[in-house]
């Protein structure tokens, strides 16, 4: 069953469409940065270091938009496949071969795999492109910007908030691109979880499967709103409600990751529970 | 067959992306090092001094806090610190957004004694933030001291310096960087207050620090005096 579902995943136009969208963005962002340099006549060695050309390195309009599009892009690979099976009358044929539980869980696995791959691979390609085509600037060879900034401003920062948590600071100093790969992996995980949530919702949505993105979209936007409210109140905790803070490299080292992992685990467990409950239904009823 | 069609489309996207990047990359300006030489070289690159004070005297830390935060940052990042007396050799390299200055280490007060007598290229704290903007669109180039108080290292002057020893990725090379603004000129230097918004750098090139009012200047000088007395260094050039 798993082999059949995997074959279906890689044959699906949705998977290649979302992969293509992400791949295009992975190339468009460096193109935009270079065009920006040319348009304003700026010096590339002053403006960008290799690690800063990564899409999710800093909060930009593109990274903010892409973050909110995660549930949409994650839906395309495989999350709507249950509805498609029902529509094409392939559902009973597939279920009759290995049973409901195998059908639901192999499909869930393929959804997660598809959701992960369409984000992770293009973002890693983006990191490789930056590594290949960005200049080894005067600035790069000496130190990197964040390292520089830390050592120059740390006296003031530490004098005012000595207990500030810096989780990935050390890794960022020595291997900044590894922190970017970590970020790509976390976005991949978010895509996988989002895809699984959409797939689970699609079991209950008879028509317009695309509405199944809403629970995850609501969860993510609620986090953004909650964090904004918290910031307006001035209550800056070491943990952020906004999931985009955990996947954006520039912010990554400020936060504790328990919330991110717990939320992902909770969604996966909830979806697994629903799938298990759904797989117990008697098809003859 | 369908999969090959999709893979072909992805390959085309990659090729289009790479070729666009290559075309644009060949047209983008990569300035690298702007100038090298002593401080007169930089003055000839950019004449007007654009000093934008964004701090008040209360922001100037006491010498004790500077030492505490220096130690704390060393502990946090797990790196070595070195406190030295060093003389500037006047060989500087200025790039967009940063500067390297060549100094001879006269005496190591704290840290690795093997550094004594060596000549090293320093990454300069304030000078890293002191940006040189190239002339464009008919405007004159300028120096921007955004919030930084310190001038460049002066040729032949000896300084008390707090340095960070930064192991570069791979570990083969160690770079030394002045920790923040922690370098104190042992020569007695006159510091003119920067009160004119449209002043020229050459008029203030002799300054050790830039300050917009007496209160700020006093706070910086107090930090300097306390630091010199802590390390038992007098404001005269040490021998050897």
């Amino acid at each position: 069953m798993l082999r059949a579902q995997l074959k279906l995943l890689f044959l699906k136009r949705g998977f290649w469409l979302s992969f293509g969208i992400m791949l295009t963005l992975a190339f468009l962002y460096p193109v935009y940065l270079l065009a920006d340099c040319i348009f304003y006549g700026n010096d590339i060695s002053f403006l960008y270091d290799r690690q800063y050309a990564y899409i999710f390195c800093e909060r930009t309009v593109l990274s903010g938009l892409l973050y909110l599009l995660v549930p949409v892009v994650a839906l395309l690979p495989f999350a709507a496949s249950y509805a498609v099976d029902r529509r094409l009358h392939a559902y009973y044929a597939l279920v009759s071969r290995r049973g409901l539980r195998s059908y639901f869980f192999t499909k869930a696995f393929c959804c997660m795999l598809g959701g992960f791959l369409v984000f992770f691979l293009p973002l890693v390609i983006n990191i490789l492109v930056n590594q290949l085509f960005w200049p080894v600037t005067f600035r790069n060879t000496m130190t990197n910007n964040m390292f520089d900034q830390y050592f120059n401003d740390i006296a003031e920062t530490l004098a005012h908030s000595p207990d500030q948590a810096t989780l990935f600071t050390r890794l960022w100093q020595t291997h900044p691109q590894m922190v970017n790969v970590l970020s790509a992996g976390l976005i991949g995980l978010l895509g996988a979880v989002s895809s699984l949530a959409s797939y689970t919702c699609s079991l209950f949505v008879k028509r317009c499967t695309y509405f199944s993105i809403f629970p995850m979209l609501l969860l993510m936007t609620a986090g953004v709103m909650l964090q904004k409210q918290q910031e307006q109140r001035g209550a800056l905790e070491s943990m952020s409600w906004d999931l985009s803070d955990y996947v954006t490299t520039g912010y990554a080292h400020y936060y504790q990751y328990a919330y991110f992992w717990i939320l992902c685990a909770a969604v996966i467990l909830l979806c697994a529970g629903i799938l298990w409950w759904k797989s117990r239904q008697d098809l003859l009823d | 067959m369908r999969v090959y069609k999709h893979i072909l489309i992805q390959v085309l996207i990659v090729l289009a992306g790479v070729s666009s990047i290559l075309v644009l990359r060949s047209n983008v300006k990569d300035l690298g090092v702007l100038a090298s030489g002593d401080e007169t070289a930089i003055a000839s690159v950019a004449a007007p001094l654009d000093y934008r004070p964004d701090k008040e005297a209360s922001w100037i830390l006491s010498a004790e806090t500077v030492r505490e935060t220096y130690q704390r940052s060393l502990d946090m990042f797990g790196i070595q610190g070195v406190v030295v007396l060093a003389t500037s050799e006047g060989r500087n390299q200025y790039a967009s957004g940063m500067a390297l200055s060549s100094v001879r280490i006269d005496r190591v007060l704290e840290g690795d004694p093997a550094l004594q007598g060596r000549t090293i290229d320093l990454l300069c704290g304030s000078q890293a933030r002191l940006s040189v903007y190239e002339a464009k669109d008919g405007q004159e180039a300028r120096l921007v001291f955004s919030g930084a108080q310190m001038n460049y290292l002066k040729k032949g002057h000896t300084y008390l310096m707090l340095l960070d020893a930064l192991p570069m990725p791979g570990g083969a090379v160690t770079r030394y960087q002045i920790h923040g603004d922690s370098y104190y000129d042992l020569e007695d230097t006159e510091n003119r207050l920067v009160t004119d918004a449209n002043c020229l750098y050459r008029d203030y090139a002799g300054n050790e620090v830039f300050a917009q009012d007496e209160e700020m200047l006093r706070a910086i000088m107090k930090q300097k005096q306390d630091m010199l007395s802590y390390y038992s260094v007098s404001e005269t050039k040490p021998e050897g």
Side-chain angles (χ1 to χ4, degrees), chain A residues 11 41 43 142 170 173, chain B residues 2 25 29 31 77 168:
Chain A
L11 279 171
D43 174 16
M142 298 304 139
R170 188 75 186 151
Q173 290 159 14
Chain B
R2 270 177 62 194
R25 183 71 189 81
K29 187 167 56 177
L31 220 49
F77 293 104
M168 288 293 104

Side-chain angles (χ1 to χ4, degrees), chain A residues 7-266:
Chain A
K7 199 174 170 184
L8 269 178
L9 167 69
F10 292 115
L11 279 171
K12 276 216 177 288
R13 193 185 299 162
F15 174 79
W16 292 105
L17 179 65
S18 50
F19 193 88
I21 291 171
M22 287 302 298
L23 198 60
T24 309
L25 288 174
F27 281 102
L28 268 186
Y29 191 57
V31 165
Y32 161 74
L33 293 180
L34 287 170
D36 190 53
C37 277
I38 292 171
F39 184 75
Y40 289 106
N42 286 322
D43 174 16
I44 191 172
S45 62
F46 176 56
L47 284 177
Y48 304 111
D49 289 348
R50 278 176 172 178
Q51 61 270 28
Y52 286 91
Y54 169 58
I55 296 178
F56 278 97
C57 184
E58 288 176 312
R59 200 169 298 200
T60 57
V61 177
L62 177 69
S63 65
L65 197 67
L66 201 55
Y67 166 70
L68 287 177
L69 281 177
V70 164
V72 181
V73 179
L75 173 87
L76 292 174
F78 208 57
S81 66
Y82 172 75
V84 174
D85 283 354
R86 298 286 297 216
R87 203 164 52 243
L88 297 177
H89 307 292
Y91 172 69
Y92 290 105
L94 286 166
V95 168
S96 63
R97 288 173 67 183
R98 288 291 169 103
L100 261 180
R101 190 167 299 167
S102 172
Y103 173 80
F104 280 136
F105 280 94
T106 49
K107 219 173 236 320
F109 174 77
C110 289
C111 274
M112 290 187 76
L113 183 70
F116 179 80
L117 288 179
V118 296
F119 286 100
F120 182 69
L121 289 183
L123 288 176
V124 167
I125 289 172
N126 176 250
I127 293 166
L128 286 175
V129 163
N130 297 333
Q131 194 73 13
L132 282 172
F133 297 110
W134 234 245
V136 181
T137 62
F138 188 65
R139 192 171 176 146
N140 272 117
T141 51
M142 298 304 139
T143 181
N144 71 55
N145 186 22
M146 186 69 90
F147 201 16
D148 190 19
Q149 186 185 322
Y150 265 112
F151 275 93
N152 284 313
D153 293 339
I154 203 155
E156 287 166 17
T157 310
L158 290 182
H160 296 283
S161 54
D163 299 325
Q164 194 171 46
T166 54
L167 195 59
F168 287 116
T169 311
R170 188 75 186 151
L171 184 62
W172 178 260
Q173 290 159 14
T174 51
H175 301 93
Q177 294 293 20
M178 284 312 293
V179 182
N180 285 342
V181 173
L182 183 76
S183 154
L186 291 179
I187 295 167
L189 177 66
L190 201 60
V193 169
S194 184
S195 185
L196 176 67
S198 299
Y199 161 65
T200 311
C201 291
S202 75
L203 302 185
F204 302 96
V205 182
K206 290 266 163 84
R207 292 179 183 181
C208 295
T209 322
Y210 295 103
F211 283 121
S212 60
I213 62 167
F214 280 108
M216 200 62 195
L217 198 61
L218 278 176
L219 191 70
M220 287 162 75
T221 43
V224 175
M225 306 295 278
L226 208 60
Q227 183 62 18
K228 278 220 169 110
Q229 273 186 358
Q230 192 166 296
E231 282 171 9
Q232 276 169 1
R233 285 204 308 270
L236 285 170
E237 305 293 333
S238 59
M239 190 189 80
S240 169
W241 297 107
D242 184 358
L243 288 178
S244 69
D245 283 340
Y246 299 96
V247 296
T248 310
T249 317
Y251 294 80
H253 36 266
Y254 289 120
Y255 298 109
Q256 307 298 334
Y257 276 74
Y259 171 67
F260 183 84
W261 293 113
I262 288 171
L263 193 78
C264 288

Side-chain angles (χ1 to χ4, degrees), chain B residues 4 12 33 50 60 68 88 139 147 150 166 190 206 231:
Chain B
Y4 293 127
L12 286 176
V33 178
D50 186 355
I60 306 298
E68 271 177 19
S88 169
Q139 290 181 332
M150 311 299 286
L166 314 177
E190 186 197 1
Y231 288 104

